[in-house]
Amino acid sequence: MTNIPFTQRPWLDRFFGLTEQGTTVQRELRAGLTTFLTMSYILFVNPQILSAAIDVPNAFVQLLMVTALSAAFGSAVMGLVARYPFAQAPGMGLNAFFTYTVVLGMGLPWQTALGAVFISGVLFVLLSMMGARQAIVQAIPLSLKLAITGGIGAFLAFIGLKNAGIVVANDATLVGLGHLTAAPVWLALFGLVISGALMARRVTAAVLWGILATTILAIVTGAQVYAGGADGALQSFPGFTGSVAGIFGAPVWPSDLVGQLDIAGALSLGALSVIFTFFFVDFFDATGTLTGLAQRAGYMREDQDMPRARRLFASDGLAAMFGAFMGTSTTTAFVESASGIEEGGRTGLTAVTVAVLFLLATFLWPLAAAIPGAATAPALILVGAMMLEGLKHIDWEDITEALPAFLTLLFMPLTFSIANGVSFGVISYCGLKLLSGRGREVSPILYFIAALLAVRYVYLGE
């Protein structure tokens, strides 16, 4: 198709630039399905967390609908406006901060907390359109960009190991090895071996086939890997329990959540610190995620800039605003988008596919529930391993490059925060360069950001 004149190509090819990115419609659709499967857990986890703070009738189902609609909107904007293969959804970590720190801890009404999320989204859009976020990304050196990508990979792998029960909490050592005979563990290990072997044989859609094979094995063996058992215990596949034809669930319009945000209350003096925290954490979390994903997808140019960067970062802010209006905590770019990138997703068609699948999930959410966490965990581990490839290009013999890269890589999984990894990497990079007499190698913008980050940690804490 590369020899076909641009005006004669199919409209999907022309709009998304499929030929220029060396991809096809089929590959993009497959990549979108893979991304959706690896992040579909958010449909059930986000309502579970937010329902502890948001007290409305039928809260879980309404929040599930809000989660799906926010993810659909955010992914569609990313695909149609920025035309990147990155999916968006209500972010983990930020939803816990919203619930347990802001609403339950500080006693702020959930409507006011939603107002704070909305305002932080407005700030994202303004800074993005002014080029501020783009300037920060350009100021970050290549070694840190590669470390951010690798750190996200390590973070993904850690999430996968945790979800599978391979890595568990340990009072004596913080983390330890889980029970290898437990159903989630052996299923995840099965999926990891199958997916890895298929990838080694260069089988198309290796990650997706691994997810489906593990899901089928979980169902036919009756493995207890599904949530919803008595006292929170895992159970075997409960079957399709939707209200129509088994796999369908009637959508519910979240009337008790839509438009309930309190912007005026969020602008009061007592809530300004909440706005700043939402803004700060998501700014560096999303900026790190988008930078790492763009690096992995091959969008980072030699001048360390990205095409359509302002639209890319503004899409993140628009998603946060829409999510807050609908009734959920911050909607942001999902690191699980890396799974679709590994499947060949390179354009906005991947993200649009994810958006369509989230819309379908408002009708087919019982079917989405058939994919257990043990089936998607291997995909996260495998994709995480692939994202470490760029670390070989870091100059490990130069301590001013190696140590910040190492801290960036280490802090993401160990603090369970992309923002912390980026922050400590930037601060240490600027400090080492300055104290070693090589301060001129650092952009003034990066020094300013490092100073803000240091002040934030010293005076505002977590």
Side-chain angles (χ1 to χ4, degrees), residues 258-294:
V258 176
Q260 296 301 309
L261 70 171
D262 181 7
I263 297 176
L267 289 173
S268 64
L269 186 62
L272 291 181
S273 63
V274 176
I275 295 175
F276 177 78
T277 303
F278 273 126
F279 171 79
F280 176 89
V281 174
D282 189 46
F283 182 93
F284 286 97
D285 188 88
T287 301
T289 299
L290 293 172
T291 301
L293 292 175

Side-chain angles (χ1 to χ4, degrees), residues 79-396:
L80 296 173
V81 177
R83 283 176 287 163
Y84 275 83
F86 310 149
Q88 302 197 85
M92 291 295 294
L94 288 165
N95 52 11
F97 174 76
F98 178 100
T99 296
Y100 301 110
T101 301
V102 176
V103 178
L104 299 181
M106 299 175 60
L108 212 65
W110 60 267
Q111 296 90 338
T112 304
L114 289 176
V117 172
F118 183 88
I119 295 170
S120 69
V122 173
L123 294 176
F124 291 149
V125 174
L126 292 177
L127 286 176
S128 299
M129 298 312 296
M130 291 167 56
R133 295 179 76 176
Q134 182 181 0
I136 292 172
V137 170
Q138 286 183 284
I140 297 175
L142 178 61
S143 61
L144 284 187
K145 284 190 172 76
L146 295 172
I148 289 171
T149 305
I152 290 173
F155 186 42
L156 269 179
F158 186 72
I159 293 173
L161 292 168
K162 173 181 172 293
N163 291 349
I166 299 174
V167 172
V168 297
N170 185 294
D171 292 336
T173 60
L174 293 183
V175 293
L177 183 66
H179 296 290
L180 297 183
T181 57
V185 175
W186 63 258
L187 265 176
L189 293 175
F190 165 83
L192 184 61
V193 171
I194 290 296
S195 298
L198 291 175
M199 184 170 288
R201 290 177 172 272
R202 300 187 182 280
V203 174
T204 301
V207 174
L208 179 58
W209 285 119
I211 293 173
L212 295 178
T214 308
T215 299
I216 292 173
L217 183 63
I219 293 175
V220 298
T221 60
Q224 296 183 340
V225 293
Y226 292 90
D231 300 323
L234 294 175
Q235 62 179 348
S236 302
F237 181 59
F240 299 111
T241 57
S243 58
V244 182
I247 65 173
F248 294 95
V252 175
W253 179 249
S255 57
D256 296 304
L257 297 173
V258 176
Q260 296 301 309
L261 70 171
D262 181 7
I263 297 176
L267 289 173
S268 64
L269 186 62
L272 291 181
S273 63
V274 176
I275 295 175
F276 177 78
T277 303
F278 273 126
F279 171 79
F280 176 89
V281 174
D282 189 46
F283 182 93
F284 286 97
D285 188 88
T287 301
T289 299
L290 293 172
T291 301
L293 292 175
Q295 183 85 33
R296 188 63 186 169
Y299 274 103
M300 197 67 69
R301 300 193 295 238
E302 290 186 4
D303 61 358
Q304 300 306 304
D305 195 9
M306 297 174 284
R308 305 179 301 280
R310 296 192 183 193
R311 281 189 274 173
L312 169 65
F313 292 121
S315 297
D316 178 59
L318 289 172
M321 293 169 60
F322 180 84
F325 177 79
M326 293 300 295
T328 183
S329 54
T330 309
T331 301
T332 186
F334 250 57
V335 69
E336 283 84 353
S337 301
S339 62
I341 292 173
E342 290 302 324
E343 282 293 331
R346 291 294 181 271
T347 75
L349 183 55
T350 294
V352 171
T353 302
V354 176
V356 172
L357 290 172
F358 269 112
L359 285 178
L360 290 176
T362 61
F363 294 88
L364 298 171
W365 55 270
L367 182 61
I371 310 292
T376 57
L380 299 181
I381 298 169
L382 189 59
V383 169
M386 297 299 100
M387 294 185 72
L388 296 176
E389 182 268 340
L391 296 178
K392 65 184 179 182
H393 299 295
I394 296 174
D395 185 1
W396 293 104

Side-chain angles (χ1 to χ4, degrees), residues 67-81:
T67 301
L69 293 173
S70 298
F73 176 86
S75 300
V77 169
M78 184 64 74
L80 296 173
V81 177

Side-chain angles (χ1 to χ4, degrees), residues 53-67:
I54 298 179
D55 184 16
V56 296
N58 203 13
F60 186 89
V61 175
Q62 289 201 60
L63 285 166
L64 187 149
M65 296 298 155
V66 164
T67 301

